[in-house]
């Protein structure tokens, strides 16, 4: 297909997955509104319908819990094609049936982008209405995912990381006792090849974590204290640090001095805490199991989000550039979600190796802002080549470019429109 044809197809995917103000990731496999999917989708809509882009995020925040949390799934309608549905989660924290935990908080960063690109003149007004909700969500993260003030954010479930079956979770997940799980039938493996999805033993433990949190009524303080899985995640931590920097810019533009001062404190806390995720032997940031206090032993694509978070000191940047070049010699398409030199790498299994377009977008943004435009452009070109060859798939093999997971995927279409498409690159130049 030509670039124009792919641009048209990407817009068609977004409009066909539009459910009337919110967008599903793809039909069948993911029939509800997902948190960070929606936020990335807004970037795609912004290229041809700015009002619709704002509406996507505003509808996401309609599901915000009373304690400030924005859930990872909003069950806006009952769809038996998805498991686990609202009955399994058993939550009542907000106005819309939802899952019980969150997802990577990219919203503030995307809202800042929408504000800068909005030609209607209403961008700041809409951002102003969302600012208190963003502040409440960020406070929730600090209170309940960093209760000890370490300056790193934990996830209570692999799903909360957005990178569900990453090898980094394996050891902590094995420590989760399988209990209180009723017989169940997975639906994901009826839509996608099981070889590309998490194993059943992983799913049993996923549901055991949900059951443990349901037992304490999803009380966020009790969850942080008792959840059998509590792992500091460089992905969520770096996305949150970046989001705070962008939230500070929004607060300053809106003249919110008190909020700006509060956010500066958050940034200082997170900058100091990030060092605790640095693995001195690997020379990269990795996950840390906060129950055992052990660092994980592999480099994931999230390790490369340090520059995106603003951590661009020479030692960090040079180490990441070295890893980037080493990995680039091992595979065809950057950036695999896990180091191909690691024993747990699998090129086509969900998050254990495949390339994800929106992760490439954030990594490239960080490299470009650090002055490394060559590696940033490599990521953009590879992302474009994957979509040109494999379509708008959920994720791709870094070795062959094969598209995998769900098809006609909303955030892949959105990333094409806002960044990967050569048409967009020519306009940006």
């Amino acid at each position: 297909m030509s670039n124009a044809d792919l641009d048209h197809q990407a817009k068609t995917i977004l409009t066909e997955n539009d459910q009337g103000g919110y967008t599903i990731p793809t039909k069948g496999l993911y029939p509800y509104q997902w948190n960070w999917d929606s936020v990335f989708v807004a970037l795609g809509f912004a290229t041809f319908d700015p009002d619709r882009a704002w509406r996507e995020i505003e509808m996401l925040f309609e599901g915000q819990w009373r304690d400030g949390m924005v859930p990872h799934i909003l069950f806006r309608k009952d769809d038996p094609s998805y498991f686990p549905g609202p009955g399994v989660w058993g939550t009542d924290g907000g106005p819309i049936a939802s899952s019980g935990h969150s997802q990577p908080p990219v919203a503030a960063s995307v809202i800042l982008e929408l504000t800068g690109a909005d030609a209607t003149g209403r961008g700041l007004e809409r951002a102003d209405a969302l600012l208190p909700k963003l502040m409440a969500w960020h406070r929730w993260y600090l209170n309940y995912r960093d209760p000890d003030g370490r300056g790193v954010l934990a996830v209570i479930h692999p799903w909360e990381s957005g990178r569900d079956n990453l090898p980094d979770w394996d050891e902590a997940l094995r420590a989760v006792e399988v209990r209180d799980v009723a017989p169940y039938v997975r639906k994901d493996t009826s839509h996608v090849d099981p070889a590309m999805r998490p194993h059943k033993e992983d799913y049993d433990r996923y549901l055991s974590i949900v059951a443990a949190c349901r037992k304490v009524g999803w009380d966020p303080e009790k969850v942080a204290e008792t959840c059998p899985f509590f792992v500091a995640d460089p992905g969520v931590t770096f996305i949150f640090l970046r989001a705070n920097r962008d939230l500070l810019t929004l607060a300053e533009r809106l003249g919110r001095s008190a909020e700006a001062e509060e956010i500066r404190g958050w940034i200082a806390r997170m900058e100091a805490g990030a060092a605790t995720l640095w693995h001195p032997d690997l020379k990269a940031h990795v996950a840390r199991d906060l129950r055992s206090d052990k660092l994980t032993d592999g480099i994931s694509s999230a390790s490369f989000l340090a520059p995106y978070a603003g951590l661009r000191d020479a030692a960090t940047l040079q180490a990441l550039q070295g890893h980037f070049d080493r990995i680039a010699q091992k595979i065809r398409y950057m950036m695999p979600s896990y180091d191909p030199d690691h024993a747990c790498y699998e090129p086509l299994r969900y998050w254990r190796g495949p390339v994800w377009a929106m992760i490439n977008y954030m990594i490239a943004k960080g490299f470009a802002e650090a002055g490394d435009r060559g590696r940033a452009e490599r990521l953009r070109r590879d992302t474009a080549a994957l979509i040109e060859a494999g379509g708008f798939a959920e994720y791709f093999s870094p070795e062959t470019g094969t598209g995998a997971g769900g098809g006609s995927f909303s955030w892949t279409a959105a990333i094409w429109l806002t960044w990967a498409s050569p048409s967009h690159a020519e306009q940006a130049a």
Side-chain angles (χ1 to χ4, degrees):
M1 288 188 182
S2 68
N3 293 333
D5 289 337
L6 287 167
D7 292 347
H8 176 73
Q9 186 177 345
K11 292 176 184 178
T12 299
I13 287 170
L14 294 187
T15 54
E16 289 186 350
N17 286 342
D18 184 353
Q19 304 296 296
Y22 73 93
T23 308
I24 59 173
T26 189
K27 293 174 182 175
L29 183 59
Y30 301 114
Y32 297 112
Q33 184 177 19
W34 258 258
N35 185 322
W36 70 330
D37 291 71
S38 261
V39 178
F40 283 118
V41 160
L43 288 173
F45 275 119
T47 65
F48 64 97
D49 189 347
D51 180 73
R52 179 62 186 76
W54 282 104
R55 187 65 187 136
E56 185 77 31
I57 296 177
E58 289 162 351
M59 286 197 73
L60 175 65
F61 277 89
E62 288 177 1
Q64 187 167 31
W65 280 25
R66 293 179 291 276
D67 62 15
M69 193 262 283
V70 182
H72 103 287
I73 307 173
L74 296 181
F75 299 111
R76 290 184 173 272
K77 58 185 179 182
D78 184 26
D79 193 319
S81 71
Y82 181 79
F83 177 86
V88 175
W89 290 91
T91 65
D92 65 353
I96 300 171
S98 73
S99 59
H101 57 63
S102 199
Q103 257 192 333
V106 293
S109 297
V110 171
I111 288 169
L112 179 62
E113 288 204 34
L114 296 184
T115 301
D118 194 327
T120 68
R122 290 196 59 216
L124 273 178
E125 177 185 338
R126 296 178 91 156
D128 190 41
L130 287 165
L131 185 69
K133 300 175 182 181
L134 289 166
M135 294 292 294
W137 189 20
H138 285 218
R139 290 187 191 108
W140 176 89
Y141 258 113
L142 290 161
N143 289 335
Y144 303 119
R145 296 298 182 263
D146 183 24
D148 297 327
R150 293 171 179 247
V152 292
L153 296 185
V155 292
I156 64 154
H157 197 295
W159 293 340
E160 189 165 53
S161 74
R163 300 177 300 139
D164 298 10
N165 68 322
L166 191 74
D168 288 353
W169 317 139
D170 289 357
E171 186 173 348
L173 202 60
R174 280 193 291 269
V176 174
E177 182 182 356
V178 176
R179 57 187 301 177
D180 302 319
V181 176
Y184 65 93
V185 177
R186 290 174 63 176
K187 303 298 178 68
D188 59 324
T189 50
S190 67
H191 297 287
V192 175
D193 182 349
M196 300 177 185
R197 301 294 295 177
H199 296 289
K200 183 183 184 301
E201 54 266 32
D202 296 324
Y203 232 84
D204 289 346
R205 290 181 169 88
Y206 295 160
L207 294 174
S208 296
I209 297 170
V210 171
C213 296
R214 192 175 60 235
K215 270 190 171 181
V216 297
W218 293 102
D219 178 284
E221 186 172 356
K222 291 178 181 176
V223 165
E225 291 174 357
T226 66
C227 184
F229 187 97
F230 204 67
V231 182
D233 175 23
V236 172
T237 296
F238 289 155
I239 288 169
F240 183 69
L241 177 51
R242 172 59 183 245
N244 282 326
R245 297 189 196 281
D246 293 337
L247 189 59
L248 175 60
T249 299
L250 279 173
E252 290 174 339
R253 287 183 184 176
L254 292 166
R256 301 293 189 86
S257 56
E259 287 88 343
E261 188 60 27
E262 184 178 4
I263 297 165
R264 290 187 192 100
W266 299 347
I267 292 170
R269 171 174 164 179
M270 302 304 294
E271 285 179 335
T276 66
L277 299 184
W278 181 259
H279 195 301
D281 297 328
L282 293 179
K283 297 193 183 311
H285 296 89
V286 300
R288 181 184 287 274
D289 186 343
L290 296 182
R291 298 299 187 225
S292 68
D293 204 33
K294 291 182 181 178
L295 289 170
T296 53
D297 68 352
I299 296 170
S300 75
S301 53
S303 302
F304 292 88
L305 291 175
Y308 175 78
L311 305 179
R312 300 170 191 150
D313 59 280
T316 299
L317 192 59
Q318 289 170 11
L320 290 178
Q321 289 167 332
H323 288 308
F324 186 105
D325 295 345
R326 172 181 57 81
I327 291 170
Q329 293 177 351
K330 300 283 183 178
I331 46 87
R332 168 64 185 87
Y333 300 98
M334 296 292 277
M335 171 65 74
S337 46
Y338 217 64
D339 189 339
D341 282 331
H342 195 280
C344 292
Y345 164 78
E346 296 181 74
L348 274 177
R349 192 180 295 278
Y350 203 60
W351 287 109
R352 301 181 79 86
V355 178
W356 297 72
M358 81 294 183
I359 298 291
N360 275 4
Y361 164 76
M362 291 187 288
I363 295 172
K365 196 175 187 70
F367 272 126
E369 291 170 349
D372 190 343
R373 297 195 174 276
R375 290 180 180 83
E377 179 59 15
R378 166 70 191 269
L379 287 162
R380 192 202 64 77
R381 289 198 312 268
D382 281 8
T383 307
L386 285 166
I387 293 170
E388 288 164 357
F392 293 97
E394 183 178 3
Y395 50 87
F396 305 86
S397 166
E399 298 178 359
T400 66
T402 301
S408 299
F409 217 82
S410 293
W411 67 12
T412 308
I415 293 301
W416 171 268
L417 290 170
T418 196
W419 172 66
S421 169
S423 302
H424 180 273
E426 290 165 5
Q427 293 167 8

